Structures are given as structure tokens and as C-alpha cells.
Amino acid sequence: MAKHNELGKVGEQIAVNFLLKKGYKILERNYYFKKIEVDIIAQKNNTLAVIEVKTRSTAYYGNPQDFVKPAQIKRIVMAIDYYIQKNNIDLEIQFDIIAILKTKNNHVIKHLENAFYHF
């Protein structure tokens, strides 16, 4: 597996652990609709949280959250629309980004709630 893919998997596990500590229930990890991947689908109270995880080892080229682009947002929304219909979900929907900067000995997590909206 390529080093950046390994970093992404590590970041996703860090994000899952972070969300569990905040009281979220993880419903799906790496959910696929067609060729679209949603990193994490979780629930907290009456909210379905759709979470994109971005992990970087440096902020030299920008913060991790800066790498979530409009085309990717559109694909995520399409996948979640399908997921909601398929599972007959009647909850508030929230689109979040968890940005992780990981170094050798540490990681900094930013949970950006309502980072983007259904449009």
C-alpha cells in the first residue's frame, strides 16, 4: 500500500476513536455508492454525521480540510442521498470534515462540524 494510503487509514482510525470519545455511534466506515466513498457515517442524538477525513503529515501545501473540493462534496452528497433513501433515515444531516495533521510523535485533530452543506 502506498505511504499516503497508509496515512489515510491511520487518520481514519484516529477520527473514529475521536468520534467515539465524543459520543458518536459509528454506522459505516468506507461506505461506497457506485465509485464514491464516504469515509465515516455516524450518528449522535438525532443527527446523522457524514464525515470526510483528511490526514496530512505537513501543512506545507495547505491545511488538510483545504483538500475537500466542490466536486468531491457533490459526490459525497449524492452518495448520502442514496444512503438516506435506502435506509429510510429521518434525521438531521450534518456534513463534517475531520482534519488531522500527523507527525512522528503527535497528531492535531480539527473537527469542522457543518463544514459544507447539501446544495
Side-chain angles (χ1 to χ4, degrees), residues 3-110:
K3 193 168 186 90
H4 70 278
N5 289 338
E6 290 175 21
L7 181 63
K9 292 297 176 196
V10 168
E12 286 179 13
Q13 187 58 54
I14 291 169
V16 165
N17 295 342
F18 174 81
L19 291 166
L20 290 171
K21 287 179 186 172
K22 287 183 71 174
Y24 285 82
K25 177 183 175 188
I26 307 301
L27 303 177
E28 304 277 350
R29 287 181 72 173
N30 306 113
Y31 172 78
Y32 279 92
F33 168 69
K34 299 186 177 182
K35 294 182 179 183
I36 305 164
E37 180 188 9
V38 178
D39 292 334
I40 301 170
I41 302 172
Q43 183 177 346
K44 185 172 183 183
N45 302 321
N46 292 324
T47 301
L48 185 74
V50 180
I51 301 149
E52 177 64 20
V53 180
K54 289 294 183 189
T55 308
R56 297 289 184 269
S57 57
T58 179
Y60 182 79
Y61 296 105
N63 293 313
Q65 62 269 26
D66 298 337
F67 292 89
V68 180
K69 303 296 183 194
Q72 182 180 16
I73 292 169
K74 187 175 179 180
R75 290 189 301 270
I76 290 170
V77 169
M78 184 186 335
I80 290 306
D81 281 345
Y82 176 80
Y83 181 84
I84 290 167
Q85 291 175 22
K86 177 184 167 205
N87 295 292
N88 198 28
I89 292 174
D90 185 24
L91 298 169
E92 293 292 321
I93 309 299
Q94 168 178 308
F95 293 93
D96 298 354
I97 297 172
I98 293 185
I100 302 170
L101 274 176
K102 181 151 180 26
T103 61
K104 288 183 182 179
N105 301 320
N106 195 16
H107 58 267
V108 177
I109 302 171
K110 284 187 182 178

